[in-house]
Amino acid sequence: YRSWYKCPYTEYLRGKGLLEKYEEAFKEKYAPTVPGFLQPSPVEAEDAHDVFITREAANWIRSYDQEKPFFLWLNFVGPHSPLDPPEPYASMYKPEDMPPPIKEIPNNIPETIRVRSERFWQDHSVEEMQQARAYHYGMVSLIDDQVGRLIEALRENGRYENTIIVFTSDHGVNLGDHGVWGKHVHFKGTINAPLVVSWPGKLKKKKTVDRVVERQDLAPTFLEVAGADGKQRQYPFGESLMPFLTGKGNYVREEAFVEDETATTVVTNRYKYIYSPDWETPMLFDMTERPEEVHNLALENPELLNEMRDRMLNWLVRTHDHPNSSIRHTHRKVGNPA
C-alpha cells in the first residue's frame, strides 16, 4: 500500500481528512482471518476509489471538445478483495439469498488442489462464503452504477451514439466454489470474465453470443473499427469480433487459451483442458454436460485428452519458439502436457 501516498486518490482522501482512517482499515484488511476481509468500507460511497476515478473520467468526457476520436481506458478496482463495499452497497444483498458455493471437490483432482480445498472447508463455512458473495455482488452493483455515470456523461457531450463501449475484465474469481478462493485455479469462476460491447449508433442491442473468445480479439476489433487497412490490421494472436457485432463475416476461432504461472488451459465451445507440470494428473471437463466442473474426464477419455493436449501443444509452438523451456515463464517450466 506504499504506492498510495502520492496518487491522486490518496491526496483526495487526505484533503477530506479520510486518509488516516482509510489507511488503518486497509492495514487490517490485509491481515484477514476471513477471505476477502468481510467488512464494509470505512468511507462513504462517494469517497470510494471506483467512484472517485469514475468522477474524474466523467468530468474529462464532459470537457472533451475535439473533433478527432478519443480513446479512454478506465480501470476499476472492484469487485476485488478486500470485499469492503461502502454503504448502501454493503447491505444491498442478503447473504441468505446468495447462491451457495459448489462445495463438491472434483474427482481425480490434482493432490495439491485437493488438499488445499479440503483445508479451505475446514477453515470456512458456506455461510461465510454467502456473506462474501453478498459483498461481491454489492461491489458489482457499485461498478454498474459507475458505468451508468459514464454513459450519462457521454450523452451530455452528445457522443453516446457514436462511442464504442467495451466492458470486460482480466479475470473472474472463485468465491469458494470447490473450496477455492481467488483466481489461481482455472475453473469457470476465474476465466469466464464478462465481455460486453455497445455501439448504440451501429450495433444491434441485446444480442448474446455463446462462443469462446479471447481478450486479444479486442485489438483486431478496434483496428477494424478504426478503418485500418489489411496490412495494418495484421495481428497473429487475435480474431476480430466484428462478425459477431455486425452479423457480417466469419469468426474462425475454435478455442481459447489461458496461461498464468500456475497452469495452462485450452477451452473449446464444449471442453476445457487444464494442465500444470506440477500436477500428477491434468483436469478435463465437459462444460456442456457437466458445467459444474466436478467430473474430471482426464483418466477415462484418453482420446479426448489427446485431442485437447494436441490443441495446447500446437498453440504453445505457435506462440513461442521454446514451448518446453523456462524461457516461456520466469516462474515455472512448461513441460510436455500429460
Side-chain angles (χ1 to χ4, degrees), residues 174-192:
N174 293 299
L175 293 173
D177 282 341
H178 314 297
V180 174
W181 179 270
K183 63 185 178 182
H184 286 304
V185 181
H186 296 175
F187 292 125
K188 62 183 179 181
T190 291
I191 68 173
N192 288 20

Side-chain angles (χ1 to χ4, degrees), residues 162-215:
N162 196 35
T163 298
I164 303 171
I165 302 170
V166 178
F167 181 87
T168 189
S169 177
D170 54 343
H171 61 81
V173 63
N174 293 299
L175 293 173
D177 282 341
H178 314 297
V180 174
W181 179 270
K183 63 185 178 182
H184 286 304
V185 181
H186 296 175
F187 292 125
K188 62 183 179 181
T190 291
I191 68 173
N192 288 20
L195 176 58
V196 181
V197 181
S198 172
W199 192 1
K202 300 286 186 177
L203 305 179
K204 294 181 179 180
K205 298 179 180 180
K206 298 182 180 180
K207 180 180 180 181
T208 300
V209 177
D210 187 15
R211 286 278 298 274
V212 292
V213 301
E214 289 186 359
R215 296 299 177 272

